[in-house]
Structures are given as C-alpha cells and as structure tokens.
Amino acid sequence: MKPAEDLTGLDLQGGWHVDGRVTQSAKGTGEYSSISYFASNEKKEKAFLKAIDLSSALQDDDLMGKLHELSVAYEHEFNLLHQCKDKRLRRVVVPIAEGLAQVSELYKPLDRVPYIIFPRAEGNIRDVLERWREFEKKFDLAWALRCLHHSATGLQELHGMNIAHQDVKPSNILVYPVEGSKITDLGSASQAGNPSRSDKWPVAGDVRYATPEQWYSWSQSAEFENRYLVDLYRLGSLMFFFFSDLSAMDALQLKLSSQYGKDFVKSDFISDLPYLKYAFKESLDGLRESVEKIAGGLTDQIIMIAGQLCDPDPRKRGDPRAGAAKYREQHDMQAYVSRFNILARRAEIRMI
Amino acid sequence: MSVRYDDSNRQAIPRYLPYATACSLQILRINRRAEQIHGILVEDSDARREWVENPRLTSAIDLVAEALIVKDFSSTEARKAAKYILSKGALCSSLVRQLAGHFLEVQVSTWEEISEIPDRDGYGREIGRLRRSVRDYPVNPIAWSDLSLSYATIGEKDKAKDAMRVAMGLAKHNRFILRSASRCFMHLEEPDKAVSILNKSGLCAIDPWIASAEIAISEATGLKSKCIGKAKDLVGNDSLTPFSRSELAASLGTVEMKSGSIRRGKKIMRKAIIKPTENALAQVGWATSAFQIDFDDLVKLTSTVPASYEATAVQRYYDKKFKESLEASKKWSRFQFLSSRPIIHATYISSCMLNDDLGAIDIFDNALPAQKDSPLAINNYAFALARIGRTEEAADKLRQCLHKASREEGLVITATVGLICFREGDVEGGRRLYDNAVNGFELLKDYRSAAIAKYYWAVEEKRINPQNAEPKIREAKRAIEQNNVFEFEDLAKKL
C-alpha cells in the first residue's frame, strides 16, 4: 500500500474528516498520480479530497530528481489553483482547503501526504450522460447547452489569466447541483510566462482528446496562443461527446479509417490536412444526424460552432470574425460564451 | 469507318478520380516502407480494464475507439465491445454505430467493383451534394476537387476550372489535389498549367506520384520534363514502396524506350510491375505492343490489380478476345469519367468485331458528356447509326464534330460520310469519299487506317453489287494482310 492510499478515517486541519476512498483506480493528473477520497466537515459540508501520490519516486533510480519533478509539478498546479481562487473564478473548480496529512510513520520518509480538498460535485458529464441513457432514456438539450456555456465560460476565465487548460474532456467537467458545471483538473495546464514541464510534451492531457495537430506533433509556431487553440478544439470535442458519445478525434479517426479500409497511415500534417478536412466534414455530417433528432431548429447553429471549434487546421480554428478583427484574438472565447448562452436560453424557453 | 483511338503516344497521365475511388485504390498511400506502422495492442489499456470490470456502453465505446486508433482490430474484448454497442441499437448515436460496424467489418481488398454509371440527373444530384458540402465547409479542398470532376464530367468546363482553382488555393502541396488538378488542366487543354503546378509544388524531387505526373504530362504534350534526373533517383530508391514507384517507373521507362534505349527502358519498367497501379499496368501493356517487348505475368496482373480495366480491355483486344475486351472497356468507361478512349474502343469493337451496331449506339448513348466530346467517338457512333439505316442522324452528328477534328480524324470522318452516301444510294459520292480517305491515309503513311477504309469500301461495293466488287475485295484483303490489321483478318476472309 502507498501512503496516499491510507488516508481513510484521518482527521485533517480545518475540521475535515476523510470518509473513504472513491472507487476508482489511481488517476494520472499530469505528471503525478493522485488518490481520490470523499471528505466532510463538522458543518456537514461534503467534499472531494485529492491525495498526491509521491511514492512513484521510490521506484525511480534518481529518487531525489524524481521527487523534485513531482513536487515541482504539484507546486505548479497548486499555484494555478490558488491564482484561480484568488481571482474568484466561477467556472473553475478551486480548492477549499489543502495541507499535509500525517499517515503512519511506517511510510517514512513519505509519511506526510499533500492533499487538496475541492467542493464535492454530483459527478462529471460522462456520469450525467450515462444516467440519461441508461435510466432516464432522455436527452436534456437545454442542460447540455448550458453545460457547454459554463465550460466555455470556464475556459474564458482561464484564458483571461493566461492559463491554457489543455485537458478539457467529459470527465473534467464537474456538475454541481446549484452552480452548474465547472472545469476541473489543472494538472496539464500551462500558464504564459510560468514555464512547466508539460509545456514540452507533444500532447498535454488525455491523448484520446488530442487535436489533429498534436496527433502529428505539428505546431504552426512556438507561440503560447496555440495552447488556447487546443482548448477550443477540446471544447468542440465536448459537443461531439454530448451529441454522439464520441470525441471529435474519435469521429475523425473513424471517418479516416472507413475511407482507407482500416489502413490510413499518416504522413505529415500539412500533406494530410486535406484528408483530415474531408474526414472532418464527414464526421460533422454524422454529428448533424444526431443533433437534428434532438435540437431541431438549433441544429445549424450547433453544427456551425462544432465546425469552427474542431477545425482540424489550427490556423482556421475559432470564430472567423475574431480572426478578421484587429482587436480580437483568434482564440477569443467570447463569441462561443455568447452563442452557447443564447442556444441554452432558446432550448430552455422551448421546454417551458 | 469505325476506328480505335490513336495510342501511338500513351503516357501514364494521372487519373482524374473521385476521392473515394482514389482512397480505395490506395493511390494516396504512403511512399516509404518505414512509414508503415504496425498496430499496438489495447490488451493492457485502461479502456480494456474498465470494459472488463464494468461492461457498459460508455466503456465499450472507449475501448472500441481506442482500438480503432491503434488499429488493434483483432482484440477479442474490443470486438465483444463493438458487438455490445450494436446490440444497443438506437440507444447509440449513428456515429457510434458506424464505429462499431466499421470495427467489425472484415478487412478485405478495399477496391469495390464500380457501380453503374450515373445518368445526367445522377450527376446533378452529386453536384448538388458537393455544392452543399462546400457551402457548409468551404475549406475542404477535396470536396472542391470532386466538384470540379463532376462539373467536367457533364461538360461544364468553366465551372470545373473554377472549382479546381479553389481546391488548389486551399491545398497546393497535396498529392491528391495536385494530381487531380494537373489532370483537370490537361482535360481543359491547358497542359502548360498542368506541368507548371506540379513543378511549382516542389514535390517532384521527393514524391514519385508527382514526378510521374510531371513526366507523363510533359511527354504527352511535347514539353520538356524538368525532373527526369530526380525521377531516376526516386525510381532507384528502395526505401520507397514498389507501389508508389510503379507509375514513375512506367513513365520513365517509356521515356527511355522512346529515346531508343529499349533495354534500359525495359529494366526500369520491370520495377513498374512489381506492384503496379492499374495505370502503370496499362502503360507497361502499351509498351509491350508499341516496342514489341515481353514481360512475364502481365496477364496474371490484369486479374489481380484492382480496376485494371484499360489494361484488360487492350490486352484482350490484342488477344482477339473481343467480347471480353468489350466488357472490360465498358467498365473502363465507368472508371474514367472524362476519357473518350474507352467509348471509342468499345464502339469500335462492338460495331466492327462483333457486328453489333445497336450495342455501339447504346454504349455511346450511355456515355457521359465529357466522354462523347471527341470526334472519333462521334464518328464511331455515326458509323453505327449509318449501318442500321439512320443515315440522317449520322450525318447530323458528323457535322457537329467536323470542326473539332484533326487531319487524321477528318479522314476517318470522310470515310464515314462515304458510307452514308453508299447507304443513301449515292454510290459515286461514296466511292469518291472513300477514295479521298484512303489516299489521305496513304499520304500520311497511315497504311493501317487505309486498309480498314479499303475493307469498309469493299463491304459497301459487295453490298450493292457482289460481282463487280471483286477487285475491291482483293485489294482490301491484301491491305489487311500486308499491314497486319489482325482484328480484321477473320472478317476479311469472310468478304
């Protein structure tokens, strides 16, 4: 057993008590893995505790070097989270407490486990969609569009602080009963002017939600802004997930594989871009088929947004009007915040 | 008289294909052997673990999607997951059902037999679909290229050119677009532009598909290729797959043979048939008859290389298996929307070798507008019409194409007008025109065509007066024999 796996029953600073482990295997968040727990306090507030597992360093030949790496990565995320907390970001999950948990001395020298406590969510959007599908047999369009609006707002807030999240995916959008949806997990995030190790990775975050240019390890430039374009793609990928249960990259791969009889082999990004665009258009047509059944008159708007956000060519990604305007950046999220808001409103009105 | 096309200067000019066809023929496949990767397995993945521990729709989708990305199509668990997805039916989105269905598909040869040729309305619908596609997503160069091909197919040359310009603007360094564009500009009779876009792409030195197109188009249009030297390096580069070098080897081999180096050309051409494209195979097949050389396995290759309709049609023709040749050329015409060659070949065989003028008329009537836009195709059609008595229609058709005909084609048309005169009772007019055609061919030293004209003249003489036709019949038989017009040998004996 690792020290981070032995927190159940502990009383922590601030009156928090570790109730028990969340039944899932250790989860990688960027460079280190963490163990999840349920926690609560005397005010009956329920929370989610993330215990940082530093024990992997013990298996490394360079123990000190590895420990340093892990602690730097943890510090980086911790620092970003606190910046978000200080700025009172509404659509990003920020910690409510943190500290070091003292576990048995048997674990020395790793008997003090760093932890972060977050407000407990109902689940993530994967859980919500699964519940809809398995039990409720319905799709709540207004809720889905509101969730996309919240996610876009969360990204806009992060981008406003020069932070690129880079790991937006269904399991990283948490759902709260009153406040709605929020983005979590800054383990793969980067901040302009604040270098981190993930800056050097070809794909920061979950590979299955990677962008086409990341799949080819291609970058138009070394500009930090390219990372915001990754966030745009992943936000669009959430749309694919809501309406078709697949990520945008999965849908793209499906179309490529179908066209090439299971035998598509990539060459280089620029040469293959026309094929990617063709496959993307086909996947967009597949998405339209699903959206039409649910969204009716809102379909064109939804498909247009998915088309702009998930454009395989990062140079064309995003709101075309933002690219044309001198005072707006290509990765400007405002247009999508507004559009998702309007779409969600229209869907909510339709429900009345 | 009905004739075949002039194939004295065949080149492996890139085919103008819809993207879906190019994909299934693997024309776009990677060049280098080292780039062919082998699948990674999903057996140790988190997605598989999650599916095994908790078999639900979400975990099934995750596993199948991951297995697709790493191309682990044999994973038992992933296949189970795909079946599970399909069992859920309408509970899944159409994309997810497609994913599961595609995953379980048996991987066979990707080439599917071509379907029936669409009628003009069918092309109208296809154009409508593509126009909607480029309106929804205008930065899709392949859709623009397909739209250009569809426009060219129905004879809308200006629109085809405009659509191809957009495709080029969006992807001027992509192999598919470059080859399609160069073929499009050839069709639009702008060979300089076709060669220029290939040279400007900067890919001639590194991409055998592009180098091959540049050489073939330059050679076909009398321009000087700028990449022969680089092409030699590429053909000798064994890190490139034989398939990707096949058209280049065929083109380069043709250049060598035409310059007189038959042995060197043959050596290069051997590389073209290691794993040929249908175009490379047709080129090698042409070289065997043009330069009287032999290659082993050509017959076998025509039955194994996908879409090798042209090679089959030509080979069966030389083997005097005319019915098989006709069937292959019908498929060839459905495969090559812009080429009039399959129509000329099929109508010639149908009318002359199989004595089926109605069949020839049917072939022409069902051809696409771009395929009918050739004086020889129209001539063969008129020939068939005249022989079944529809002489007025035949004359009308010939009038429409006369202004487009070259000198040689003009002589063919003259002979056909001679036939019309005979059939309309103007015997002297018919004789004069046939005589003009025969003399014209002989002046051009095209003795083969002269022999065919003599044969049909003799047929007409025999039809109106068998006794007086004897000298013409003898002359025709002699000409057929002397000029090795092999396909008419049996017919001549029966005269």
Side-chain angles (χ1 to χ4, degrees), chain B residues 93-319:
Chain B
S93 71
S94 67
L95 274 174
V96 168
R97 288 198 300 274
Q98 282 171 34
L99 171 76
H102 172 66
F103 191 82
L104 291 172
E105 264 170 23
V106 180
Q107 188 175 8
V108 286
S109 165
T110 52
W111 172 250
E112 290 164 17
E113 281 292 298
I114 49 171
S115 54
E116 277 301 305
I117 203 162
D119 54 15
R120 204 183 163 100
D121 290 346
Y123 273 94
R125 281 193 294 277
E126 177 64 1
I127 287 172
R129 186 188 71 77
L130 288 164
R131 283 182 59 176
R132 275 193 301 281
S133 176
V134 295
R135 188 193 59 209
D136 290 349
Y137 189 56
V139 292
N140 183 355
I142 289 173
W144 282 107
S145 168
D146 280 359
L147 181 62
S148 167
L149 173 60
S150 295
Y151 275 134
T153 304
I154 59 161
E156 295 271 13
K157 289 188 174 179
D158 289 342
K159 288 182 179 176
K161 191 174 179 177
D162 290 345
M164 190 50 84
R165 276 188 178 152
V166 178
M168 276 296 292
L170 290 167
K172 57 186 172 196
H173 297 291
N174 175 266
R175 178 187 299 154
F176 175 76
I177 300 295
L178 277 169
R179 282 169 62 91
S180 300
S182 61
R183 180 64 183 81
C184 172
F185 289 121
M186 275 289 281
H187 179 69
L188 300 174
E189 290 158 16
E190 294 183 39
D192 292 17
K193 180 148 191 165
V195 173
S196 146
I197 57 169
L198 294 169
N199 280 320
K200 281 183 187 165
S201 74
L203 294 173
C204 287
I206 52 172
D207 190 329
W209 298 99
I210 303 297
S212 155
E214 200 268 356
I215 294 171
I217 296 174
S218 301
E219 286 293 316
T221 54
L223 300 168
K224 190 164 169 55
S225 169
K226 291 180 182 168
C227 67
I228 298 279
K230 295 164 196 160
K232 284 178 182 169
D233 295 341
L234 285 171
V235 163
N237 184 346
D238 285 336
S239 70
L240 298 168
T241 58
F243 184 72
S244 66
R245 283 182 292 170
S246 65
E247 284 190 18
L248 181 60
S251 293
L252 207 54
T254 305
V255 172
E256 292 288 355
M257 286 185 185
K258 282 192 160 181
S259 67
S261 309
I262 303 288
R263 268 183 64 188
R264 204 182 312 158
K266 194 175 172 186
K267 194 177 165 191
I268 295 172
M269 269 205 183
R270 271 206 194 93
K271 292 185 178 175
I273 51 170
I274 298 172
K275 195 168 189 309
T277 65
E278 60 77 30
N279 196 8
L281 186 62
Q283 186 64 22
V284 177
W286 169 84
T288 57
S289 59
F291 298 103
Q292 307 295 315
I293 50 171
D294 275 331
F295 285 103
D296 298 336
D297 293 338
L298 274 195
V299 178
K300 199 173 148 195
L301 280 168
T302 53
S303 59
T304 54
V305 173
S308 56
Y309 306 126
E310 183 186 348
T312 307
V314 174
Q315 197 177 70
R316 299 295 186 272
Y317 162 74
Y318 283 116
D319 292 344

Side-chain angles (χ1 to χ4, degrees), chain A residues 156-168:
Chain A
Q156 188 186 34
E157 289 175 349
L158 286 170
H159 292 185
M161 295 176 62
N162 300 325
I163 297 171
H165 186 284
Q166 305 186 102
D167 197 17
V168 174

Side-chain angles (χ1 to χ4, degrees), chain B residues 190-467:
Chain B
E190 294 183 39
D192 292 17
K193 180 148 191 165
V195 173
S196 146
I197 57 169
L198 294 169
N199 280 320
K200 281 183 187 165
S201 74
L203 294 173
C204 287
I206 52 172
D207 190 329
W209 298 99
I210 303 297
S212 155
E214 200 268 356
I215 294 171
I217 296 174
S218 301
E219 286 293 316
T221 54
L223 300 168
K224 190 164 169 55
S225 169
K226 291 180 182 168
C227 67
I228 298 279
K230 295 164 196 160
K232 284 178 182 169
D233 295 341
L234 285 171
V235 163
N237 184 346
D238 285 336
S239 70
L240 298 168
T241 58
F243 184 72
S244 66
R245 283 182 292 170
S246 65
E247 284 190 18
L248 181 60
S251 293
L252 207 54
T254 305
V255 172
E256 292 288 355
M257 286 185 185
K258 282 192 160 181
S259 67
S261 309
I262 303 288
R263 268 183 64 188
R264 204 182 312 158
K266 194 175 172 186
K267 194 177 165 191
I268 295 172
M269 269 205 183
R270 271 206 194 93
K271 292 185 178 175
I273 51 170
I274 298 172
K275 195 168 189 309
T277 65
E278 60 77 30
N279 196 8
L281 186 62
Q283 186 64 22
V284 177
W286 169 84
T288 57
S289 59
F291 298 103
Q292 307 295 315
I293 50 171
D294 275 331
F295 285 103
D296 298 336
D297 293 338
L298 274 195
V299 178
K300 199 173 148 195
L301 280 168
T302 53
S303 59
T304 54
V305 173
S308 56
Y309 306 126
E310 183 186 348
T312 307
V314 174
Q315 197 177 70
R316 299 295 186 272
Y317 162 74
Y318 283 116
D319 292 344
K320 289 191 180 178
K321 292 177 179 170
F322 299 120
K323 277 188 184 166
E324 288 176 36
S325 177
L326 179 65
E327 284 314 306
S329 55
K330 282 180 181 172
K331 288 183 177 177
W332 176 18
S333 74
R334 286 179 216 137
F335 174 62
Q336 283 298 289
F337 307 141
L338 298 185
S339 176
S340 54
R341 286 185 168 207
I343 301 300
I344 298 168
H345 184 83
T347 47
Y348 174 65
I349 288 193
S350 187
S351 276
C352 303
M353 274 78 253
L354 303 175
N355 199 26
D356 180 8
D357 291 308
L358 287 173
I361 290 167
D362 196 44
I363 288 163
F364 186 86
D365 284 340
N366 286 316
L368 289 160
Q371 295 177 314
K372 292 177 181 177
D373 190 25
S374 147
L376 287 186
I378 296 169
N379 169 78
N380 287 5
Y381 179 58
F383 174 82
L385 285 173
R387 294 220 306 176
I388 61 160
R390 290 159 64 180
T391 49
E392 272 184 37
E393 277 177 71
D396 274 352
K397 279 281 165 196
L398 290 176
R399 251 177 247 124
Q400 286 168 22
C401 73
L402 205 53
H403 66 283
K404 289 189 283 188
S406 64
R407 193 174 166 200
E408 292 85 344
E409 288 165 345
L411 293 172
V412 173
I413 291 168
T414 304
T416 306
V417 177
L419 168 73
I420 293 170
C421 289
F422 267 110
R423 295 293 165 128
E424 287 182 340
D426 178 8
V427 175
E428 281 313 310
R431 282 176 182 152
R432 193 183 65 250
L433 288 165
Y434 264 119
D435 191 44
N436 287 349
V438 169
N439 289 334
F441 284 128
E442 285 176 348
L443 269 174
L444 293 173
K445 295 187 178 167
D446 183 358
Y447 299 113
R448 201 173 186 282
S449 298
I452 295 172
K454 281 177 185 172
Y455 169 82
Y456 280 112
W457 186 358
V459 169
E460 291 309 306
E461 293 288 357
K462 188 181 173 187
R463 201 178 58 80
I464 55 167
N465 189 345
Q467 279 80 41

